Amino acid sequence: MRRIVSVVLVLALAFSTVMVSALEFGTRKAYAADTKITITPSMVSNESGLGDATELVDEQTLAGDPANGTGGTPTTAWFGGWSGVTYPMYAYIDLGQNYNLTSIYVYDTNSTGDWTAYAGSPGSWSALFTDPMTNYMTWNSHP
């Protein structure tokens, strides 16, 4: 079964090393807004070498901005093929610099199978979370 999974990373404004949701200036407050980090196909490395892993991120405009309520519905999928494919397949996204991420959004198309996000570097990954993919046709948010 083919599963469409798209990924959107969301970055909140950070001041120094502390995440700030509101700053007070006298009687006024300034609120940080979530800002989408656009992921390009050049940021994706296919560790499995199967299929086209850039299809995970090739629809950033169509994906919209799920953090701010405007998440769209992706239509392409990373598919490794039917014969001789070893699952799970692995790919990583290099953002090119460090960010203080507040949320990662994953689009669940078929409501089946686990999807795990890792952080680190090639050969030294640590699991962040596993999404059980039980929310058919929904953007799942992971703080």
Side-chain angles (χ1 to χ4, degrees):
M1 176 179 295
R2 292 177 63 164
R3 180 183 334 164
I4 297 173
V5 177
S6 290
V7 179
V8 174
L9 301 178
V10 176
L11 166 70
L13 296 176
F15 298 91
S16 299
T17 58
V18 178
M19 298 305 295
V20 177
S21 60
L23 291 176
E24 290 196 33
F25 297 98
T27 59
R28 296 181 174 216
K29 287 185 178 180
Y31 292 91
D34 287 339
T35 303
K36 177 181 172 181
I37 298 172
T38 300
I39 306 167
T40 64
S42 66
M43 296 174 170
V44 178
S45 294
N46 186 345
E47 286 192 317
S48 301
L50 300 168
D52 183 2
T54 66
E55 290 178 337
L56 289 169
V57 301
D58 66 338
E59 298 175 301
Q60 292 291 294
T61 301
L62 182 61
D65 188 0
N68 291 305
T70 58
T73 305
T75 59
T76 62
W78 175 25
F79 180 63
W82 293 111
S83 62
V85 177
T86 303
Y87 289 98
M89 299 183 310
Y90 295 93
Y92 65 87
I93 299 169
D94 184 347
L95 298 177
Q97 69 182 60
N98 290 326
Y99 289 94
N100 290 320
L101 299 177
T102 59
S103 298
I104 297 174
Y105 287 80
V106 180
Y107 192 75
D108 177 358
T109 300
N110 294 324
S111 191
T112 183
D114 290 344
W115 186 86
T116 303
Y118 297 86
S121 58
S124 182
W125 300 112
S126 297
L128 294 175
F129 62 86
T130 297
D131 187 322
M133 296 298 201
T134 57
N135 297 313
Y136 180 70
M137 302 296 280
T138 302
W139 282 102
N140 298 333
S141 173
H142 298 277

